[in-house]
Amino acid sequence: MLEETREAPAAVARQMAADADTYAALARSLRDQPLQGLLTVARGSSDHAAHYMAYLAMARMGRLVTSLPMSLLTLYQSSLHCEGLMSLAFSQSGQSPDLVAPTRFFRAGGARTVAVVNQVDSPLGQAAEWVLPLHAGPENSVAATKSYIAQLVAGARLVANWQQDAALLHALDALPEALSQAVALDWTPAVEALTGADKLFVISRGTGLAVAMEAALKFKETCGIQAEAFSGAEVKHGPMALVDEGYPLLVFAPRGPAQQGLLALAAEMRERGGRVLLAAPAGTPGAELPLAPTANEDLDPIAAIQSFYPMVEALARARGANPDQPRHLNKVTQTL
């Protein structure tokens, strides 16, 4: 896991050096033939990456994006209308039937279908009309790291091409350097604070929520900590009743419109007695965990998860667990 985490900057560089014509052609088709609906199809870490892409598309372009409950097709056999739709399936292996079947259904119904996948010759890659390869290289760790980061980049790259946003594309080209800085940042305070934890809130908002969701999953699968991810707004609607003296919270507060509210929330949780680990840009008052800046604040969450992964790998080992052999888990999960 740690080795593959450190390979992420190189994986992103490979991706950004490839498939420019494919992204440009797909984006051109989206501008020339506007969509009536956009769906994401994904599970696990891949679903968190899809959530990030969806937020960018909604925030930057005003395009509503829906996460498809795959059981509508795989179990309930619903006859969804496909006219004017595009589905984007996110996967590392491209093997799971509940990603492949909807992609085949939508394509047969006339929808545009896209697979954002590491294994391009997989059943998912073969089912989709358009394939956006991750170029992450072989990933043996059960806990996805570099492939998740590559998925985040692919989602941002698609939106940037769709928008014809030269500044965002330039920032993506510069991202490998920022990730190389991010992976080297010292997050030791989090290891020290969470070695004995059995529960945890992971909080962010906006573009950062997708990495909070991913971090919560990694706490569960590698460390055995019951971690829950919440929006900084949603946590106030009931979950914060659980916060008492010493309750651990990891707050991701990268740059952007959501940052001030997240910093205020972190301060409020400290007043309630919570053990707040604030991840924010260097120099932010109260931040114990530094975040590396990127060339565009919408990409800052990608650098944040790059810094998180080495920490959670070290935390698992500090707790006596083997992050490379999580209990009950396999690298490829096939669900229906």
Side-chain angles (χ1 to χ4, degrees):
M1 179 180 177
L2 182 59
E3 179 180 341
E4 290 172 356
T5 292
R6 291 171 173 164
E7 292 173 0
V12 171
R14 284 194 301 272
Q15 186 194 132
M16 291 305 301
D19 307 309
D21 290 345
T22 301
Y23 279 88
L26 175 56
R28 187 165 52 249
S29 78
L30 294 174
R31 293 191 300 271
D32 293 345
Q33 303 173 40
L35 299 173
Q36 295 182 19
L38 181 58
L39 303 170
T40 61
V41 185
R43 292 207 186 279
S45 292
S46 296
D47 191 42
H48 305 154
H51 185 99
Y52 172 74
M53 185 284 303
Y55 201 94
L56 288 181
M58 290 187 284
R60 285 174 154 264
M61 304 182 65
R63 298 281 186 175
L64 289 176
V65 185
T66 301
S67 175
L68 177 73
M70 282 84 87
S71 60
L72 285 174
L73 298 175
T74 60
L75 299 182
Y76 287 82
Q77 307 297 311
S78 299
S79 298
L80 300 180
H81 297 287
C82 298
E83 297 83 359
L85 292 181
M86 183 171 77
S87 71
L88 290 106
F90 286 72
S91 177
Q92 286 109 38
S93 70
Q95 299 290 331
S96 187
D98 58 358
L99 303 183
V100 177
T103 300
R104 288 174 176 162
F105 173 88
F106 287 123
R107 187 172 183 180
R112 275 170 279 189
T113 54
V114 181
V116 183
V117 65
N118 201 31
Q119 296 185 20
V120 297
D121 59 348
S122 63
L124 179 62
Q126 295 170 5
E129 175 187 4
W130 297 86
V131 178
L132 303 179
L134 297 180
H135 296 287
E139 187 173 59
N140 297 312
S141 172
V142 173
T145 55
K146 64 177 179 176
S147 63
Y148 173 74
I149 289 173
Q151 286 178 325
L152 295 176
V153 172
R157 191 178 178 192
L158 176 57
V159 171
N161 275 273
W162 192 356
Q163 275 192 297
Q164 296 181 291
D165 188 326
L168 183 55
L169 285 170
H170 178 74
L172 284 162
D173 284 332
L175 189 57
E177 181 178 352
L179 295 181
S180 295
Q181 295 172 3
V183 77
L185 292 179
D186 182 11
W187 277 36
T188 303
V191 176
E192 297 170 349
L194 299 176
T195 298
D198 61 357
K199 58 186 180 296
L200 175 70
F201 282 173
V202 188
I203 299 171
S204 193
R205 200 173 182 190
T207 55
L209 183 56
V211 300
M213 296 161 64
E214 168 66 5
L217 176 62
K218 288 298 186 285
F219 278 126
K220 286 191 275 280
E221 66 182 349
T222 65
C223 300
I225 299 175
Q226 181 61 53
E228 294 186 81
F230 289 103
S231 155
E234 188 65 32
V235 75
K236 291 190 173 186
H237 285 266
M240 68 187 303
L242 296 174
V243 178
D244 54 13
E245 192 67 31
Y247 195 102
L249 306 96
L250 170 57
V251 179
F252 285 97
R255 297 177 301 168
Q259 186 186 60
Q260 286 304 310
L262 290 166
L263 296 180
L265 177 68
E268 179 181 350
M269 292 302 184
R270 283 197 181 100
E271 291 178 0
R272 291 173 176 266
R275 174 62 176 99
V276 177
L277 291 159
L278 177 61
T284 304
E288 294 179 75
L289 310 176
L291 294 181
T294 68
N296 187 299
E297 66 182 29
D298 282 346
L299 304 182
D300 283 8
I302 306 179
I305 202 67
Q306 177 74 86
S307 297
F308 169 84
Y309 282 144
M311 181 280 293
V312 79
E313 196 272 351
L315 176 62
R317 296 190 184 280
R319 292 168 61 88
N322 183 350
D324 295 330
Q325 295 181 342
R327 293 193 307 162
H328 314 310
L329 298 178
N330 299 307
K331 178 58 182 172
V332 176
T333 303
Q334 297 189 4
T335 50
L336 189 68

